[in-house]
Amino acid sequence: MTRRAEFWTAGLFGSFQKIAKTEGLMGFYRGNGASVARIVPYAALHYMAYEEYRRWIILAFPDIGRGPVLDLVAGSIAGGTAVIFTYPLDLVRTKLAFQVVETPKLRAQGLSQPGGIIYRGIFDCISKIFKQHGIRGLYRGVGPSLYGIFPYSGLKFYFYEEMKSRVPEKHKKDIIVKLACGSVAGLIGQTMTYPLDVVRRQMQVEALSASEHGLTKGTYESLVSIVQNQGWRQLFSGLSINYLKVVPSVAIGFTVYDVMKSWLKVPSREEVATPVVREETSGQLSSLHSG
């Protein structure tokens, strides 16, 4: 978790108290609008791309197994695709959540920070970043995002499909079973890739930090800086509270996706891919016979 300096030693409950004291209830929802604006296209692209990449891999390599390894590869590429198209909104979300907006409560406590850049909303944030740094500014920190999303997204789909494959057939459609499989998949994937998420957010908020203003560190430099200045434990700082958000989010996401496909009567992946593979194979045999 990326924190302002005053939150480094606050801990989970201390951070809750500090936000409530300085910014009030709305402080807990800062950046939520950008988060919602991002998650809708991100989720749509993520799941659509996953299904399409999985189908393309099967068509290109008909003899490939249909096991979790296929889901690992398709999920990884799909995650990268979704990040590339929605990253600017993720950057905006982080900046809106990180900034401390001056309020009467902050002024009364002498905690306001005049002179800093204040973003007044999603479009204002995008406009100011673009004017100052161009298109590259909107993709600052995308490197560690991609490094992290490839293994995270792939592992997430891998473990979800692997766990579902071990569920008895009579329980495969149970909502609780789907939620359990999604929870474990999110837990494992998030734990294994969390340090890169910390580095990504650190890079995103550098421009707002007075101590790092003007510096442009890469992924490796940011990683080393965090370890040297805050210790290696900082790479896992906020992991526990991230579990509270990510684990149910992944579980609900997978479950709703499966349920919606069932309600909409979407053909299974095998039902879509198999006829096409057979048609291509038949076409190849026909051409051989005619030759």
Side-chain angles (χ1 to χ4, degrees):
M1 178 183 294
T2 301
R3 308 184 194 178
R4 301 185 70 91
E6 59 267 30
F7 286 87
W8 284 357
T9 59
L12 175 57
F13 295 105
S15 296
F16 269 106
Q17 292 175 346
K18 198 172 189 69
I19 292 173
K21 182 179 179 181
T22 57
E23 299 186 67
L25 179 63
M26 294 305 297
F28 292 105
Y29 291 91
R30 190 167 305 286
N32 187 58
S35 182
V36 172
R38 165 191 168 272
I39 198 62
V40 173
Y42 175 85
L45 280 169
H46 196 182
Y47 288 112
M48 182 202 70
Y50 163 70
E51 294 288 355
E52 286 300 308
Y53 286 135
R54 190 180 189 278
R55 186 175 66 88
W56 291 345
I57 292 172
I58 292 174
L59 293 177
F61 306 97
D63 296 329
I64 193 172
R66 302 298 195 271
V69 174
L70 174 61
D71 300 302
L72 174 69
V73 176
S76 297
I77 304 173
T81 301
V83 164
I84 290 173
F85 280 98
T86 62
Y87 185 80
L89 287 172
D90 185 57
L91 177 69
V92 169
R93 176 190 62 167
T94 301
K95 287 184 177 293
L96 290 177
F98 182 79
Q99 72 178 359
V100 175
V101 178
E102 188 175 21
T103 65
K105 185 180 291 188
L106 287 175
R107 287 196 298 268
Q109 298 178 23
L111 295 175
S112 60
Q113 297 181 345
I117 297 176
I118 297 298
Y119 303 113
R120 306 188 184 283
I122 298 173
F123 295 107
D124 180 61
C125 185
I126 292 176
S127 176
K128 287 180 178 177
I129 294 173
F130 183 77
K131 287 180 181 178
Q132 288 183 326
H133 307 290
I135 192 69
R136 293 185 63 180
L138 292 173
Y139 279 87
R140 177 166 180 73
V142 72
S145 285
L146 291 174
Y147 303 153
I149 198 63
F150 278 123
Y152 171 66
S153 181
L155 288 170
K156 189 171 64 174
F157 279 101
Y158 174 90
F159 284 112
Y160 181 67
E161 296 297 337
E162 173 67 17
M163 292 192 65
K164 282 204 309 181
S165 68
R166 298 179 182 276
V167 174
E169 193 64 36
K170 63 179 180 179
H171 295 301
K172 282 187 181 293
K173 294 185 178 181
D174 291 355
I175 298 296
I176 300 300
V177 171
K178 293 179 184 294
L179 287 171
C181 293
S183 296
V184 175
L187 181 71
I188 297 175
Q190 184 66 24
T191 303
M192 296 178 70
T193 60
Y194 188 75
L196 286 171
D197 193 51
V198 172
V199 173
R200 169 177 64 89
R201 296 193 184 281
Q202 186 80 12
M203 292 180 68
Q204 287 177 340
V205 302
E206 274 184 351
L208 292 177
S209 175
S211 61
E212 296 178 350
H213 184 70
L215 298 179
T216 55
K217 296 179 181 177
T219 304
Y220 179 74
E221 289 81 3
S222 295
L223 178 65
V224 172
S225 176
I226 292 172
V227 174
Q228 289 180 341
N229 297 328
Q230 303 172 45
W232 66 269
R233 292 180 183 274
Q234 183 65 20
L235 293 175
F236 292 92
S237 177
L239 180 59
S240 58
I241 193 172
N242 219 52
Y243 284 152
L244 300 179
K245 181 191 76 170
V246 172
V247 172
S249 174
V250 173
I252 293 171
F254 274 127
T255 302
V256 171
Y257 180 58
D258 278 348
V259 170
M260 288 299 296
K261 286 201 300 182
S262 177
W263 285 354
L264 295 173
K265 302 186 185 305
V266 176
S268 69
R269 295 170 298 196
E270 284 70 21
E271 291 174 346
V272 173
T274 302
V276 179
V277 172
R278 288 175 177 172
E279 183 179 339
E280 289 190 354
T281 303
S282 299
Q284 291 174 356
L285 291 174
S286 298
S287 63
L288 287 175
H289 288 307
S290 61

